[in-house]
């Protein structure tokens, strides 16, 4: 029995949220769909081929939901919202950032959302190449930031015991490393504030560069 790509992608996302990226295998998906594993290999050559489709699916859905903001704000506010929204989307999936990172995007509808964004930047006098640099820098920052966050916090927001702040306090010698020891736990705990501050630094730096 042949199975379409869409049910396989949905099953893959279900397994992702249940057990993380390691739980996503063609064999496990076959079991979830009640078919034999070889049935899936005519659709997907390997796991990465499937993950590419999964990442493309979630990015297309996210981009469509984000499109309404385009005509209503400045490019700086749009860029900040773009980063915050991308971060929120990645957190909706267990290992969401790892899934998206390095994936080959297979759905050309993503270019439609990119085109709209580039048009918005262009109305502010920003060339497509410069706008693309801004967006890809924010994208890479958010992906890396979220990979680190999801390594530390569970999907329920519980901190992995290996990264307990009390462990850090015990390890950092206040006499040898007074500046490192002086950093309060709020710096490490408030991911949303840290993300937004980093985004503002990126946007401010980009604004300064294009105005030079």
């Amino acid at each position: 029995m042949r199975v379409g790509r869409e049910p396989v992608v949905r099953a893959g996302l279900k397994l992702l949220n249940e057990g993380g990226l390691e739980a996503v295998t063609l064999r496990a998906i076959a079991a979830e769909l009640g078919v034999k594993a070889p049935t899936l290999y005519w659709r997907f050559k390997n796991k990465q081929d499937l993950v590419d489709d999964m990442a493309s699916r979630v990015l297309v859905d996210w981009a469509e939901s984000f499109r309404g903001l385009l005509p209503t704000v400045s490019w700086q506010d749009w860029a900040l919202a773009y980063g915050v929204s991308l971060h929120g989307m990645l957190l909706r999936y267990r290992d969401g950032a790892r899934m998206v990172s390095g994936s080959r995007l297979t759905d050309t509808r993503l270019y439609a959302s990119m085109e709209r964004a580039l048009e918005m930047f262009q109305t502010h006098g920003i060339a497509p190449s410069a706008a693309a640099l801004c967006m890809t820098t924010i994208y890479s920052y958010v992906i890396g930031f979220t990979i680190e966050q999801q390594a530390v916090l569970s999907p329920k927001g519980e901190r992995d015991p290996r990264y307990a702040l009390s462990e850090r306090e015990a390890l950092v010698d206040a006499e040898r490393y007074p500046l490192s020891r002086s950093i309060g736990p709020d710096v490490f705990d408030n991911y949303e504030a840290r993300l937004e501050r980093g985004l503002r630094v990126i946007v401010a730096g980009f604004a300064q560069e294009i105005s030079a």
Side-chain angles (χ1 to χ4, degrees):
M1 179 181 69
R2 289 189 173 185
V3 180
R5 297 181 79 91
E6 181 66 19
V8 179
V9 169
R10 286 200 304 268
L13 291 171
K14 178 175 181 289
L15 291 176
L16 178 75
N17 277 335
E18 290 175 352
L21 198 56
E22 284 71 21
V24 179
T25 66
L26 291 175
R27 185 176 298 276
I29 290 173
E32 178 75 20
L33 296 174
V35 299
K36 294 183 178 180
T39 304
L40 304 183
Y41 281 99
W42 77 280
R43 290 281 187 192
F44 301 94
K45 295 179 292 186
N46 49 44
K47 175 176 175 174
Q48 186 57 55
D49 193 25
L50 167 62
V51 171
D52 289 345
D53 265 23
M54 291 166 55
S56 298
R57 162 69 181 275
V58 301
L59 285 171
V60 165
D61 289 348
W62 163 71
E64 286 301 309
S65 68
F66 186 65
R67 65 182 297 179
L69 187 62
L70 276 171
T72 63
V73 296
S74 67
W75 75 261
Q76 293 94 330
D77 286 341
W78 182 91
L80 289 169
Y82 167 76
V84 170
S85 178
L86 175 61
H87 178 246
M89 181 275 290
L90 295 171
L91 290 180
R92 289 201 293 271
Y93 298 91
R94 185 169 179 172
D95 288 340
R98 285 180 59 205
M99 172 187 65
V100 170
S101 175
S103 292
R104 181 180 63 86
L105 303 180
T106 59
D107 194 325
T108 57
R109 286 179 296 170
L110 285 166
Y111 290 103
S113 60
M114 177 180 285
E115 191 73 10
R116 291 191 297 269
L118 294 174
E119 289 171 352
M120 180 274 299
F121 275 98
Q122 197 166 47
T123 63
H124 293 280
I126 301 172
S129 58
L133 177 61
C134 179
M135 289 191 292
T136 55
T137 300
I138 290 173
Y139 180 87
S140 298
Y141 165 68
V142 173
I143 294 291
F145 184 98
T146 313
I147 286 175
E148 291 292 329
Q149 180 178 357
Q150 292 185 314
V152 173
L153 301 181
S154 74
K156 295 182 179 180
E158 299 162 341
R159 182 174 283 270
D160 186 315
R162 296 176 301 161
Y163 303 104
L165 296 178
S166 58
E167 290 292 322
R168 179 185 180 277
E169 292 176 359
L171 287 171
V172 180
D173 188 317
E175 291 186 6
R176 296 180 64 189
Y177 313 112
L179 297 178
S180 299
R181 188 66 172 76
S182 69
I183 300 173
D186 56 307
V187 173
F188 299 98
D189 250 358
N190 196 335
Y191 281 92
E192 284 69 27
R194 285 167 54 196
L195 174 87
E196 186 167 338
R197 187 172 182 180
L199 288 170
R200 290 187 182 280
V201 170
I202 293 171
V203 172
F206 181 71
Q208 184 175 4
E209 179 178 309
I210 63 174
S211 65

